[in-house]
């Protein structure tokens, strides 16, 4: 029997937290995906590792026995990778990735999955945005770009990995915070906090597009921001709104509501240059992220 390192990492996380929700947050995966991996592991082993009730999670005797060796296996795998890196005196270039804002949930999950599947893989992360990222892909300064591929030229490749409903973010004081969901038509009443066209023209065009579907011409907040920390500061003190996708660690004093009528869907894609396909680690990266997409159900099933 061949167990995956990821299965052992997930098992150790649940065993240490004794809480599936807390372990899922630590791993940046959904609770459903984590539960599926643990159930698959139990089926493959033919033993029950956890006793589950509506109030508590506990290790079985088999789980207790497995935890000791699983911790050792995970630690040994990490040390093996580190030893190989220390022994490698060659000039190995890091995989250069632009995963959009690391504060967003989808990029955070992508990065966490890459770290779990390939611990020790040399990675260089940048956050330059899609317009500059596409230029970097074309001239070989970047290996992979995560984001909206509406501006991706035919000379580059784009693999769709997630379709995510758009949210509207605001300070908890905002009048729309009392709603369970916000019709897009209500956006006509408030200024929208958006990034600059230079930093994220593809996102600005996307917002203009779904607003137009509801007959809305969006009004822009006088200043532009880039990144969730800067946006959060503006939302706390202003009456503006910001269209966004889910944040990895949203502040407690901000409120996020789904947009409806229509429901805008943001399409995350991994963009790469054909010439970069030979880069060490790139194919492994793409396989890991496509597997994550399938496990999390990020794409609707094909008709």
């Amino acid at each position: 029997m061949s167990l995956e390192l990821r299965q052992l990492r997930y098992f150790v996380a649940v065993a240490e937290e004794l809480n599936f929700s807390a372990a899922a947050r630590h791993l940046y995966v959904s609770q459903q995906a984590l539960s599926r991996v643990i159930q698959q592991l139990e089926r493959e082993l033919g033993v029950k590792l956890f006793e589950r009730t509506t109030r508590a999670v506990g290790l079985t005797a088999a789980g207790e026995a497995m935890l000791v060796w699983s911790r050792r296996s995970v630690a040994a795998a990490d040390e093996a990778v580190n030893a190989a890196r220390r022994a490698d005196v060659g000039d190995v270039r890091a995989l250069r990735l632009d995963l959009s804002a690391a504060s967003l949930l989808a990029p955070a999950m992508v990065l966490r999955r890459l770290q779990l599947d390939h611990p020790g893989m040399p990675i260089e992360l940048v956050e330059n945005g899609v317009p500059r990222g596409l230029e970097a892909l074309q001239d070989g300064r970047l290996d992979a770009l995560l984001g909206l591929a509406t501006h991706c030229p035919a000379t580059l490749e784009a693999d769709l990995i997630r379709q995510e409903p758009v949210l509207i973010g605001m300070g908890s004081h905002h009048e729309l915070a009392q709603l369970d969901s916000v019709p897009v038509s209500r956006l006509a009443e408030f200024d929208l906090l958006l990034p600059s066209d230079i930093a994220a023209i593809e996102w600005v065009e996307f917002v203009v597009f779904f607003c137009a579907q509801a007959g809305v011409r969006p009004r822009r907040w006088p200043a532009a921001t880039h990144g969730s920390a800067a946006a959060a500061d503006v939302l706390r003190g202003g009456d503006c709104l910001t269209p966004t996708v889910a944040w990895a660690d949203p502040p407690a004093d901000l409120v996020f509501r789904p947009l409806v009528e229509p429901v805008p869907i943001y399409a995350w894609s991994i963009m790469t240059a054909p010439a970069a396909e030979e880069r060490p680690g790139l194919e492994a990266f793409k396989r890991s992220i496509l597997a994550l997409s399938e496990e999390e159900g990020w794409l609707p099933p094909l008709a």
Side-chain angles (χ1 to χ4, degrees), residues 221-300:
W221 184 257
T225 61
H226 185 71
S228 60
D233 287 340
V234 176
L235 295 176
R236 291 186 182 102
D239 198 37
C240 60
L241 307 167
T242 190
T244 184
V245 287
W247 292 13
D249 189 19
D253 58 346
L254 297 186
V255 173
F256 298 86
R257 296 289 183 257
L259 283 170
V260 295
E261 302 174 17
V263 176
I265 301 295
Y266 184 83
W268 291 95
S269 292
I270 299 172
M271 290 163 274
T272 56
E277 294 300 321
E278 300 301 319
R279 282 285 303 117
L282 183 59
E283 279 304 309
F285 162 73
K286 291 176 69 173
R287 285 195 300 270
S288 287
I289 305 318
L290 291 173
L292 171 66
S293 173
E294 183 177 356
E295 291 170 13
E296 293 287 342
W298 278 356
L299 294 175

Side-chain angles (χ1 to χ4, degrees), residues 96-101 124-130 132-133 142 144-147:
R96 295 178 293 199
L97 307 175
D98 189 334
L99 300 182
S100 185
E124 179 184 338
L125 290 177
V126 297
E127 290 187 15
N128 290 328
V130 169
R132 288 189 287 264
L142 190 68
L145 171 66
L146 180 65

Side-chain angles (χ1 to χ4, degrees), residues 5-224:
L5 180 59
R6 180 172 55 88
Q7 291 175 311
L8 297 182
R9 289 189 187 277
Y10 282 24
F11 165 70
V12 170
V14 177
E16 292 180 343
E17 297 283 353
L18 291 181
N19 183 294
F20 275 78
S21 296
R25 287 193 298 271
H26 173 73
L27 295 165
Y28 284 111
V29 299
S30 69
Q31 184 174 337
Q32 293 81 1
L34 176 59
S35 295
R36 284 196 297 269
V37 170
I38 296 299
Q39 289 168 2
Q40 179 186 18
L41 178 59
E42 289 178 323
R43 286 196 301 270
E44 291 178 1
L45 293 173
V47 299
K48 195 172 183 180
L49 300 172
F50 296 100
E51 293 288 355
R52 306 168 179 83
T53 69
T54 55
R55 294 186 177 182
V57 175
L59 281 165
T60 63
E64 291 278 7
M66 184 169 173
L67 179 58
V68 175
W69 296 101
S70 294
R71 282 175 171 153
R72 293 180 183 178
S73 296
V74 170
D78 290 343
E79 182 55 34
V81 171
N82 292 332
R85 293 183 67 189
R86 288 192 298 267
D88 184 10
V89 295
D91 184 18
V92 178
R93 180 170 70 79
L95 192 64
R96 295 178 293 199
L97 307 175
D98 189 334
L99 300 182
S100 185
S103 58
L104 298 178
L105 181 59
M109 294 178 70
V110 165
L111 180 58
R112 182 60 173 163
R113 179 57 177 264
L114 183 59
Q115 293 169 335
L116 288 173
D117 284 0
H118 309 286
M121 176 185 287
I123 299 171
E124 179 184 338
L125 290 177
V126 297
E127 290 187 15
N128 290 328
V130 169
R132 288 189 287 264
L134 290 173
E135 293 177 2
L137 281 177
Q138 290 174 303
D139 62 24
R141 291 179 289 112
L142 190 68
D143 295 314
L145 171 66
L146 180 65
L148 188 64
T150 50
H151 283 235
C152 185
T155 54
L156 300 178
E157 297 179 358
D159 294 300
L160 181 65
I161 65 163
R162 184 175 193 182
Q163 292 180 324
E164 180 178 3
V166 177
L167 309 174
I168 195 72
M170 66 203 82
S172 57
H173 62 279
H174 201 283
E175 64 180 85
L176 295 185
Q178 306 305 313
L179 302 179
D180 293 329
S181 59
V182 177
V184 175
S185 60
R186 295 294 306 271
L187 303 188
E189 304 169 31
F190 306 95
D191 289 345
L192 299 186
L193 180 63
L194 299 170
S196 68
D197 290 354
I198 294 175
I201 184 61
E202 82 292 346
W203 174 258
V204 175
E205 290 176 348
F206 174 58
V207 172
V208 170
F209 171 76
F210 71 69
C211 283
Q213 289 183 305
V216 173
R217 185 174 181 177
R219 303 196 316 257
R220 296 183 72 156
W221 184 257

